[in-house]
Amino acid sequence: MKQKQRDSDAQAAAVPANELGRRWRLGEKFIESWIYLAGLLTIVVLLGIIILLIKEGLPIFFDTPPWEFFFGTKWYPVSEPPTFGIMPFFVATLWVTIVATAISVPIGIACAACLSEVAPEKVRETVKPVIELLAGFPSVVMGFIGLMLLSPLVQSVFHLPTGLSGLTAGIMLAFMSLPIIISVSEDALRAVPDEFRQASYALGATKWETIWHVCIPAALSGITAAVMLGVGRAIGETMTVLMVAGGALAVPVSPTEPMMPMTAAIASGIGNAVRGGLQYQALFAIGLILFILTLAVNLIADRVLERQKRKFQR
Amino acid sequence: MNVNLEIPEKKETINDEVRISVRDLNLYYGDFQALRNMTLDIPENAITAIIGPSGCGKSTFLRLFNRMNDLITGVRVEGIVELDGVNIYDRDIDVVELRKKVGMVFQKPNPFPMSIFENVAFGPKRHGRKNRVELEDIVEKSLKQAALWDEVSDKLGQSALALSGGQQQRLCIARVLAVEPEVILMDEPCSALDPIATLRIEDLMRELSKNYTIVIVTHNMQQAARASDMSAFFMMEEDRAGVLVEWGATEKVFTNPQDKRTEDYITGRFG
């Protein structure tokens, strides 16, 4: 009698459990397809952007041959006939990025090494969030700081006719990419197993030698990623360079000249461009080149990392 | 593996020359005392095994000799550790110089993520040897000493991480030998290895003990009995501080222990 009672109890309990399992699987299916869709959407949007850039930008080459477009030094979109040579913008982007990278990479890696290897835990815990907070600084504000504080300084130190120059923009960009370089490099350095440090110290290496010859090489893939993120930010940053780079249209021979990087050229020109007109197409073509540039930076970084991985892993 | 506790052929006499002497040593992690009143001599060109249950401070004790405990914040050392008559805890001791003299092999093989060559050349390079030919000589000599040369001579440029665990541990030994130390500390060097690799390392230790003073921490009683000349048995007291129960020739400690606790431990009654 009792046995029977228990059996029927078990049956009563089993039904809802089964039902629950079915619902659970349904929910699982739903979430799975939702994630799948979200992933697909990202790819579709990305492809859409690329197609748009190509569709809007490429027709400029029917008017201006690629040779003239890339190596032309005159950008006169509204004269008659208009000329579209992007050399001044391209060289400007190059200068600004070189200055920004030259400043931010050594300082960034040094800061990261200092935070992860030297600073006491308490200092690290307070400094790191503050640095990461700086990454969220609006670029317009950085532009203001560049205008008000940095450009007079650059002008007087280098005895320039104007403080608005590629150098000023590069320094500002260095500041802006520093947080990301520091933060990501620091993570990479902290991920280096302590065994390596111990082994190094036990062999009689100093702290500095351990950082330089063991920790940084072991974290190199993460540090490279950090540098690429930083460089990517420097290439793509618009508002700050628009405000402090000076906006001159000549091909800059030195970083101390005022100049107009590609992003600034697009931002300042697009408002006046007639939709579908030649200038409009030319600006989109610049956008396309920017896209290819950042893509190339990422691909090269991937290659470097891949080669390094193959060399030093099983 | 041979499990009986019979002691294989040993050096007839243990060198009386004392290389390291520890006197009245106390070590604290903050308020916690990890080692209490240790007094012990370590003979030259012999293998001294430190045995005892987990947590009794064996590794901490080993790390005294190359001052690796300095890397942990809040460590305080009282007492004297003399290496060749010089107290290594004196204020004017150069820790880097000390670590050149006292090499260390860790529990888990920890080669750097670099090539085999670079791993062995790491120490000499840090100590100012930059000449390529000279480095090649050092690397070859060290790898031969560590009985690894025949297995890796044709792939020195390959990643050290591609080697097997036993090979990696011998590489770590070669890396230590390349610095030309006088004392080698080994912290359970075989605990991550299989029996065959373990025996190879033990053979290697025997070979090295002709010219080096070796101190090894081990959990493996057979290993201590097989491979060491001297043994020191550690235990912990109720407050978890490590104490030295007994030390002397391995043969004596294992066959005729003076302390009941040693006997209980080596016969497997606890621990």
Side-chain angles (χ1 to χ4, degrees), chain A residues 150-165 167-168 254 256-258:
Chain A
L150 189 64
S151 81
L153 194 72
V154 169
Q155 184 176 13
S156 66
V157 169
F158 292 91
H159 305 291
L160 302 174
T162 165
L164 299 177
S165 67
L167 184 66
T168 319
S254 118
T256 52
E257 289 171 22

Side-chain angles (χ1 to χ4, degrees), chain B residues 4 11 31 41 113 119 123 148 177 181 201 206 225 238-239 261:
Chain B
N4 78 40
K11 289 173 185 163
D31 296 332
D41 287 333
N119 262 281
L148 188 62
L177 295 175
I201 302 268
R206 276 261 136 252
E238 283 82 59
D239 58 357
R261 291 171 291 177

Side-chain angles (χ1 to χ4, degrees), chain B residues 101-174:
Chain B
K101 247 166 125 177
V102 184
M104 185 169 201
V105 177
F106 294 82
Q107 182 170 359
K108 211 175 121 204
N110 57 354
F112 297 125
M114 312 168 185
S115 69
I116 294 169
F117 183 93
E118 289 301 326
N119 262 281
V120 182
F122 183 87
K125 271 189 178 174
R126 298 295 83 78
H127 304 127
R129 304 280 189 83
K130 303 279 158 157
N131 183 311
R132 182 78 193 176
V133 179
E134 196 183 358
L135 283 174
E136 276 168 5
D137 282 349
I138 294 173
V139 168
E140 180 174 343
K141 196 176 130 219
S142 308
L143 285 170
K144 277 179 175 163
Q145 261 186 300
L148 188 62
W149 176 253
D150 295 338
E151 291 156 65
V152 300
S153 59
D154 55 343
K155 49 179 181 182
L156 294 177
Q158 283 179 28
S159 170
L161 301 179
L163 297 174
S164 74
Q167 288 175 323
Q168 287 190 11
Q169 196 61 302
R170 274 179 284 147
L171 178 68
C172 291
I173 293 172

Side-chain angles (χ1 to χ4, degrees), chain B residues 41-42 47 49 53 56 61 64 72 82 84 86 122 129 134 150 153 166 186-189 195 211 247:
Chain B
D41 287 333
I42 288 169
I47 303 176
C56 68
F61 182 74
L64 277 175
I72 304 163
E82 279 185 357
D84 301 331
V86 178
F122 183 87
R129 304 280 189 83
E134 196 183 358
D150 295 338
S153 59
M186 295 184 165
D187 191 354
E188 299 185 42
N211 302 311
W247 63 281

